[in-house]
Amino acid sequence: MVKLFDAVYEFALVPILVVLAAGFWLAKVSAIVPEPYLDEFFHVQQAGLYLQGQWDVWHPKITTPPGLYLVSYLLISVLSAVGLSEGDDASMLRYATFLGVTMWFPHEVRRLMRTEPFDAERSAYLKKKKSMSSWSISELDHASFNICLFPPLFFFYGLYYTDVISAQSVLMAYSLFSQGRTRVFVLVGLCSLFFRQTNIFWVSVFFGGLKVCRSLATGRPGIEFPEKTTVLDVMEGSWQHSCIYNPLVSQAWFEGPIAAIITGSLADIELDYLKSGLSIAIAGFSSLGTVLGSLIPHLFLLGAFGAFVIWNQGVVLGDKENHIASIHLPQMLYIWPYFVFFSFPLFYPYMLNGILPVKFVPRFLRCCSIKNRFPRLVVFVPITAVMLVIVHYNTIVHPFTLADNRHYMFYVFRLLLRHPLVKYASVPVYALCAWAAITALGGLLDGQKFSPPQPTRTEIKHNLQYRLPPPPTKLAPGNRVSFVLVWLLATSLSLITAPLVEPRYFIIPWLIWRLHIPSSGSESQDSAAEAQESDSQSSGISQAVRSILYEKHDHRLWLETVWFLAVNWATGYIFLNWGFEWPHEPGKVQRFIW
């Protein structure tokens, strides 16, 4: 019996919880809103045409490819064959999509959370330790559950939209990419393009960029690069050794020439992100054959998408006059408050450590060297200035944004446009939120504490390859700068060409970002264990509660769960119960939606 329970927990607990929550939401929506709502009207009509065999008819208002309708056709056909389908109305299409797509989404998220990123240093460590360094299995499952509860995604579990199946196709491609299953990855990558055009930036640019970084060795301080590197050192080392300068996010700095001018010290020229970008380009060019070979699957996907654009004479399929591609840089400003709003339970320890003295911060919330990573004026001022220029010259308000008061973005932009100065006053908020989101990828603990011992030059081979150092006793937490650069590039390309601002457009960037957020680390757990040994007065129950809540489990996950459930409850209640009517459409209920 115990083994059966363990097996259920190991393989089915998270999917069961997500399916129960999503199924409840779907049932409530179908009971109260049985008719197609908003964009569902177009999607249901198009699916109905396919189910009737009218493959050559396309609804002129649909901009995305037909992947959703093709999957629906297959699912409805299967359900009809077993006598479970009763038609092609909105409720039936929602249920079919739920059975064929939503029920499997948590499996994909959980599989990705349990797949360690392909990194040489981490792989060597894991082979020795045979365990994850910072996340426990229960934390991984808890984080997977939270990701599936992400409000802008969870909301569409109950509606017939492309967002869930589009996100799932990208995550499935990511899982296959991480496993090195190239042929299946290409197939799934092609399928993902049938759900949303912007997926090309993830299956081609993002995964391709990661592949390039993984095909090139990471240079080591004191070996391929000097201990204190300049831009010229990085360029020389990258070309000579075909390796990349790729520090941990927790050890990287943004400071550049402006900081040096302000402070009068050349020591302030760090430019770690610029160095990494140059290093990747130079090392990639010096190993062009290797890089191009690793990029073949991604170039194939890019070529297939290019052929589609040429055939279609554009990116979108329908309603082309209202969806003209343009440069919309403020999209990369709006995304940061979006991240902070939905994920503030993950951010608040950084804020506390950056503002409060250490003695006022609880032990399990303390971060190492967070003061040093708090945005300094020499960085904050120039970044804010650039953002102000973008806001002034490139703010675009699509007519749809202010024409439809059913979307939450309508009210956000009403606030931003209430006074001409509001959009400029929001810029420091964008900058602080961007700092928080990128810093979170570095982890709460300082990577310097976990740096492996540097290797000695005892063995130099003709190809300039040195003997690898032993794995570190503790694995450095967080991501490397190369990941941040590749993720920022893919996110930018997927957003800045869209003139319309919608929370749904940020779902995949958030999913990739959230999948890479490190645990709070083992330091707090080690401290808690020491405290446990010294506290003989603690009762078994109270100790168990503390362990579950924060001592042996990242407490931020519980806060994230509560927050997501609260937002989902609020938006769901508003959607179902706060209907209203437009004067020019009496008798037709309008509802608030993401």
Side-chain angles (χ1 to χ4, degrees):
M1 191 68 181
V2 174
K3 290 184 178 180
L4 177 61
F5 176 80
D6 291 342
V8 171
Y9 174 80
E10 178 74 12
F11 298 105
L13 181 61
V14 171
I16 287 173
L17 291 175
V18 174
V19 167
L20 288 175
F24 175 78
W25 169 238
L26 172 62
K28 296 293 290 184
V29 171
S30 296
I32 298 176
V33 191
E35 297 299 320
Y37 182 69
L38 215 61
D39 289 357
E40 274 192 317
F41 180 76
F42 309 129
H43 296 314
V44 170
Q45 280 191 347
Q46 187 61 49
L49 290 171
Y50 277 17
L51 288 168
Q52 296 166 15
Q54 300 184 47
W55 301 99
D56 58 341
V57 181
W58 187 256
H59 198 291
K61 290 295 184 181
I62 295 178
T63 61
T64 51
L68 176 65
Y69 322 120
L70 294 173
V71 171
S72 299
Y73 177 84
L74 295 174
L75 292 172
I76 294 292
S77 299
V78 171
L79 292 175
S80 298
V82 297
L84 295 178
S85 176
E86 300 178 356
D88 59 357
D89 59 355
S91 295
M92 191 64 236
L93 289 168
R94 292 170 186 165
Y95 276 111
T97 306
F98 174 81
L99 291 174
V101 179
T102 305
M103 285 185 65
W104 306 105
F105 188 82
H107 288 281
E108 211 59 59
V109 173
R110 188 169 172 272
R111 183 188 304 173
L112 265 174
M113 287 297 295
R114 290 194 173 204
T115 301
E116 185 71 3
F118 185 84
D119 180 275
E121 181 184 347
R122 289 177 178 270
S123 296
Y125 175 83
L126 292 176
K127 288 178 182 178
K128 185 176 180 65
K129 304 294 287 186
K130 297 181 180 179
S131 64
M132 303 287 287
S133 62
S134 55
W135 289 103
S136 67
I137 295 299
S138 62
E139 287 176 323
L140 287 171
D141 287 342
H142 195 167
S144 302
F145 177 67
N146 288 349
I147 290 172
C148 294
L149 292 181
F150 182 52
L153 183 68
F154 185 89
F155 187 89
F156 292 100
Y157 292 161
L159 296 174
Y160 188 61
Y161 271 64
T162 60
D163 300 276
V164 177
I165 194 169
S166 173
Q168 179 166 345
S169 68
V170 172
L171 294 188
M172 185 180 297
Y174 197 2
S175 179
L176 294 167
F177 169 79
S178 299
Q179 297 171 42
R181 300 171 62 184
T182 304
R183 294 181 181 178
V184 187
F185 161 76
V186 171
L187 179 61
V188 173
L190 284 173
C191 290
S192 74
L193 301 181
F194 276 81
F195 301 116
R196 184 157 288 172
Q197 294 92 325
T198 51
N199 287 350
I200 186 61
F201 299 118
W202 298 103
V203 299
S204 181
V205 177
F206 178 68
F207 300 143
L210 292 184
K211 192 64 173 292
V212 169
C213 295
R214 293 170 181 179
S215 66
L216 300 169
T218 297
R220 295 157 294 180
I223 305 297
E224 288 86 359
F225 300 113
E227 290 288 349
K228 295 292 185 180
T229 60
T230 65
V231 173
L232 291 178
D233 291 331
V234 169
M235 294 173 67
E236 181 182 356
S238 300
W239 177 261
Q240 184 179 0
H241 302 295
S242 296
C243 61
I244 59 175
Y245 178 78
N246 197 17
L248 291 165
V249 173
S250 57
Q251 297 174 357
W253 297 84
F254 281 101
E255 275 79 350
I258 295 179
I261 293 173
I262 294 175
T263 62
S265 173
L266 292 177
D268 281 319
I269 302 183
E270 293 289 345
L271 291 171
D272 284 324
Y273 285 82
L274 176 61
K275 290 175 185 175
S276 292
L278 285 173
S279 179
I280 294 170
I282 293 171
F285 190 75
S286 69
S287 302
L288 194 57
T290 301
V291 169
L292 289 178
S294 67
L295 284 178
I296 288 176
H298 311 281
L299 294 175
F300 173 78
L301 292 171
L302 190 61
F305 181 76
F308 159 76
V309 173
I310 294 173
W311 169 81
N312 186 55
Q313 298 182 355
V315 176
V316 298
L317 275 77
D319 202 19
K320 295 183 179 181
E321 61 276 8
N322 289 318
H323 294 83
I324 301 173
S326 58
I327 302 299
H328 190 193
L329 297 177
Q331 292 271 31
M332 286 304 295
L333 306 184
Y334 305 144
I335 191 174
W336 307 119
Y338 176 95
F339 278 28
V340 170
F341 173 77
F342 287 111
S343 298
F344 86 87
L346 304 177
F347 292 130
Y348 87 94
Y350 301 96
M351 305 300 182
L352 288 180
N353 283 270
I355 298 172
L356 299 178
V358 175
K359 63 180 180 180
F360 293 113
V361 180
R363 178 182 298 177
F364 67 93
L365 292 179
R366 293 177 186 173
C367 311
C368 298
S369 303
I370 194 70
K371 288 278 188 181
N372 295 333
R373 299 203 302 274
F374 201 76
R376 298 192 290 176
L377 287 178
V378 293
V379 180
F380 187 76
V381 170
I383 289 178
T384 303
V386 172
M387 289 182 172
L388 284 169
V389 172
I390 291 173
V391 167
H392 182 75
Y393 289 103
N394 196 226
T395 296
I396 298 174
V397 182
H398 196 281
F400 286 0
T401 302
L402 297 180
D404 194 340
N405 65 346
R406 295 171 294 184
H407 292 275
Y408 292 118
M409 292 308 301
F410 170 86
Y411 302 96
V412 173
F413 271 87
R414 282 190 63 179
L415 289 174
L416 288 175
L417 300 176
R418 184 177 294 275
H419 188 278
L421 295 179
V422 173
K423 65 179 182 180
Y424 300 109
S426 302
V427 168
V429 177
Y430 300 150
L432 286 173
C433 290
W435 163 80
I438 293 177
T439 300
L441 290 171
L444 285 173
L445 300 181
D446 189 358
Q448 187 65 42
K449 295 179 59 182
F450 300 91
S451 294
Q454 296 301 323
T456 58
R457 278 194 187 184
T458 59
E459 208 175 293
I460 302 178
K461 298 183 179 180
H462 68 281
N463 60 355
L464 299 177
Q465 295 296 316
Y466 302 101
R467 186 171 60 187
L468 290 175
T473 55
K474 284 190 176 181
L475 185 64
N479 301 274
R480 295 192 176 272
V481 168
S482 62
F483 169 80
V484 177
L485 295 177
V486 174
W487 175 76
L488 284 174
L489 176 62
T491 300
S492 300
L493 291 174
S494 67
L495 293 178
I496 64 175
T497 55
L500 189 61
V501 181
E502 286 201 32
R504 295 183 296 139
Y505 295 169
F506 301 138
I507 288 177
I508 293 180
W510 183 89
L511 285 174
I512 301 296
W513 173 85
R514 180 62 184 85
L515 284 167
H516 284 264
I517 291 295
S519 168
S520 59
S522 58
E523 181 178 88
S524 60
Q525 297 171 10
D526 294 341
S527 299
E530 294 173 3
Q532 178 183 359
E533 293 176 1
S534 63
D535 187 7
S536 57
Q537 302 291 325
S538 297
S539 66
I541 296 179
S542 64
Q543 181 58 47
V545 170
R546 289 202 304 271
S547 297
I548 293 173
L549 291 181
Y550 62 88
E551 285 186 352
K552 295 184 179 180
H553 195 89
D554 193 335
H555 74 284
R556 299 177 302 167
L557 297 175
W558 296 111
L559 298 178
E560 187 180 38
T561 302
V562 172
W563 175 237
F564 280 177
L565 289 174
V567 174
N568 285 329
W569 178 86
T571 53
Y573 183 86
I574 290 171
F575 177 76
L576 297 175
N577 298 285
W578 285 15
F580 63 97
E581 294 183 5
W582 284 340
H584 60 282
E585 292 186 12
K588 185 175 181 180
V589 179
Q590 309 296 337
R591 302 178 186 276
F592 296 101
I593 194 173
W594 285 112

